[in-house]
Amino acid sequence: IIVGPIIADVSKTTQRLFPADLVFSVEQIAENIAAKVPAESLSALSRKLLATTVERRLSEGRSTVVKLRSDDEETRAELVSVAQRVHKPAHLIVLDAGRQTVPDEESFAALQELVRKSRKRELMEGFRTVLVLGTADVQGLRSVEFVNRRR
């Protein structure tokens, strides 16, 4: 799971680091089903379809990257639960954008709380790895790979 305060920035980062066929988001699913679903059901159904897609892919042993806004705690928790159900590790990458790039105080506060919890290891529940990347780290990052140790 890769999160940041602005989904467009998260999208740019995932496009640079991961093949497109590995990356999913609530927004992407919502866009695909918007014409077929009543507006009031769109958000909930998109989240449900995302969780179902992730569960199916993880069950099949396929790597999956999910991009989320940093304030979407509900979806983040659901996806950790999905990974646990299929006995796969969940990893979190937090894109810690500077204040000048975050459009509003509420989003910035949510991001800062997520970063604080990550750095104090209060957010480790369910995640095998939590990685916080600042703006300079993100710009210099060329790849991310999680390798399972064979026992």
Side-chain angles (χ1 to χ4, degrees):
I1 300 172
I2 184 166
V3 301
I6 304 168
I7 201 67
D9 291 345
V10 176
S11 294
K12 285 182 211 169
T13 302
T14 57
Q15 285 173 352
R16 197 175 79 243
L17 297 175
F18 304 104
D21 63 330
L22 299 183
V23 180
F24 297 86
S25 70
V26 173
E27 292 79 9
Q28 172 189 15
I29 292 172
E31 186 177 299
N32 290 336
I33 65 172
K36 304 170 194 158
V37 176
E40 61 274 0
S41 305
L42 187 60
S43 179
L45 184 57
S46 297
R47 283 174 167 66
K48 183 177 180 180
L49 289 172
L50 176 64
T52 301
T53 299
V54 169
E55 185 166 4
R56 186 189 79 244
R57 290 178 57 85
L58 292 178
S59 295
E60 295 168 353
R62 294 166 45 188
S63 294
T64 305
V65 176
V66 177
K67 55 186 179 181
L68 294 174
R69 282 181 43 102
S70 50
D71 59 0
D72 192 348
E73 295 177 34
E74 184 180 332
T75 304
R76 198 170 61 236
E78 173 62 22
L79 294 174
V80 168
S81 176
V82 164
Q84 290 172 338
R85 273 198 306 272
V86 296
H87 308 288
K88 298 293 181 183
H91 306 280
L92 179 66
I93 300 173
V94 180
L95 304 180
D96 184 8
R99 174 62 192 107
Q100 64 279 6
T101 64
V102 181
D104 60 80
E105 285 299 322
E106 190 174 317
S107 295
F108 185 67
L111 173 64
Q112 290 307 295
E113 181 64 10
L114 183 61
V115 168
R116 185 192 67 73
K117 284 182 176 181
S118 298
R119 289 191 170 137
K120 289 189 174 222
R121 298 185 181 190
E122 295 173 8
L123 194 70
M124 292 303 290
E125 186 75 30
F127 290 105
R128 179 174 288 176
T129 309
V130 177
L131 177 63
V132 178
L133 299 172
T135 304
D137 300 321
V138 171
Q139 292 170 350
L141 192 62
R142 297 292 168 245
S143 67
V144 174
E145 183 176 357
F146 296 99
V147 180
N148 284 328
R149 292 182 295 236
R150 303 240 182 234
R151 293 181 186 180

